[in-house]
Amino acid sequence: MNGVELFLLGRALMKIGEEALPEPPGGAGRYAGSARLVLIVASDIAAHPDTAVGEIAARTGLPQSQVSSAIARLKEAGSVQTAPDPVDRRRVLVRQAAEVSERVAQVRAVGIEDALASALGSDDPHRLREVSEALNVLARNLLPQSGFPESRPADIVPPSG
């Protein structure tokens, strides 16, 4: 595999992941932006608790308006909490919610089997198991190890699919 193939594989995996996410309450059309943007912001918040919108925008390369929208969606889902910055009351700091919300639990409970079968163009159990096992090996080796799988950054989920 070369760098281009790895990049294309990453994009294919992102699309499968997005397809696996359940629809938000009220439907996907209710929210501006994609689940991808919300997950990027959620991952950054998990890695950098008590962070400001501008700092998230700088680290992720996303426009501040998209970061603000993603935070609003995460807050609505119960995934994050916000509080005024004690040093600069004009800024708002964001952190993961202390408790797992109902929406987060709902999204965590959804498997990838249907989305994976769709991407593979096959529901052959042997093939699905083989690819699922390969994905588990990649996750174990490439995702942050803080409590995997219980507290992966991707476990902070958006209210949209």
Side-chain angles (χ1 to χ4, degrees), residues 114-136:
D114 291 342
L116 192 55
S118 176
L120 292 172
S122 169
D123 60 357
D124 174 51
H126 174 72
R127 191 166 176 209
L128 288 170
R129 186 173 43 258
E130 178 183 47
V131 174
S132 292
E133 289 171 0
L135 291 172
N136 284 326

Side-chain angles (χ1 to χ4, degrees), residues 67-83:
V67 172
S68 294
S69 294
I71 289 170
R73 290 170 61 182
L74 290 164
K75 189 173 178 180
E76 181 181 326
S79 296
V80 299
Q81 299 170 327
T82 59

Side-chain angles (χ1 to χ4, degrees), residues 5 9 20 35 40 44 48 56 58 63 76 82 88 95 106 109 112 115 125 134-136 144 152 161:
E5 291 168 328
L9 174 61
I40 290 168
D44 187 82
H48 304 93
I56 297 168
E76 181 181 326
T82 59
D88 182 350
R95 70 171 23 248
Q106 174 194 25
I112 63 166
L135 291 172
N136 284 326
R152 294 186 303 248

Side-chain angles (χ1 to χ4, degrees), residues 4-146:
V4 172
E5 291 168 328
L6 180 60
F7 177 83
L8 294 173
L9 174 61
R11 287 191 42 87
L13 292 173
M14 285 188 343
K15 289 177 182 179
I16 294 167
E18 288 173 338
E19 185 179 328
L21 294 174
E23 280 285 314
R30 179 175 170 216
Y31 300 97
S34 69
R36 182 181 306 161
L37 297 176
V38 177
L39 289 171
I40 290 168
V41 171
S43 295
D44 187 82
I45 293 167
H48 304 93
D50 293 320
T51 191
V53 172
E55 294 165 346
I56 297 168
R59 283 190 297 267
T60 62
L62 296 172
Q64 194 162 334
S65 61
Q66 289 181 343
V67 172
S68 294
S69 294
I71 289 170
R73 290 170 61 182
L74 290 164
K75 189 173 178 180
E76 181 181 326
S79 296
V80 299
Q81 299 170 327
T82 59
D85 183 339
V87 176
D88 182 350
R89 306 290 287 173
R90 297 170 294 175
R91 292 178 2 137
V92 174
L93 300 180
V94 186
R95 70 171 23 248
Q96 289 179 311
E99 300 292 323
V100 174
S101 72
E102 184 178 324
R103 175 66 181 160
V104 170
Q106 174 194 25
V107 175
R108 284 181 181 174
V110 174
I112 63 166
E113 295 79 15
D114 291 342
L116 192 55
S118 176
L120 292 172
S122 169
D123 60 357
D124 174 51
H126 174 72
R127 191 166 176 209
L128 288 170
R129 186 173 43 258
E130 178 183 47
V131 174
S132 292
E133 289 171 0
L135 291 172
N136 284 326
V137 169
L138 289 172
R140 226 181 10 259
N141 286 282
L142 298 176
L143 292 178
Q145 296 300 309
S146 60

